Amino acid sequence: MRRAMRYVALWAGLPLVCAVSAPTPPARADVPVPAPAPPAGGGVPAIGRAWPVGVRPVLLRGWEPPATVYGPGHRGVDLGAAPGAPVRAVAAGRVSFAGRVAGRGVVSVELTGTDLRTTYEPVRASVRKGDVVRAGEVVGTVETPAPHCPTTCVHWGLLRGETYLNPLSLLPPWLLRNAPSRLLPVLGVPLPG
């Protein structure tokens, strides 16, 4: 009886073993590759302390995540900036690249204490690979207009590994507010005059 039970168990488990060990079909070139899922708990810490250019630059084009890894989209944000304007590190980190890519100047900074890196282009770099930068420190200047924007701009990107993220998520709410500060009256204090 025990022997019969062993054979039943063996034959019952065989389809499961075959299904698990069966090879997967090869990937097809005409089927889009889905974008990788964000890592668990993969929020972006709001560690930014400065805009890359200006105080509150004009947002020329926002972040538009692609539906697939190779799909269309805008993997960063474009910020209006004048040629020669200083470009600053948004947060503290170490320069991982400063050079030219496809004819444009690019600076990339690995952010301290995170698995994130920011990119800035087109930028004439004033830093070198390996330099440590503080938040708000100048990493270069805006180069002349590139065909990427209708006017002069800085394309600011954010990556975790090979996954592009919204760079605006690095900025705390107080840096993102558009309204100017307002002074409110202090109650109980007489007006001058």
Side-chain angles (χ1 to χ4, degrees), residues 53 57-58 60 79-83 85 142 151-154:
V53 289
V58 175
L60 299 174
L79 304 172
V142 179
T151 65
T152 309
C153 75
V154 168

Side-chain angles (χ1 to χ4, degrees), residues 33-35 65-69 71-72:
V33 178
T68 64
V69 173

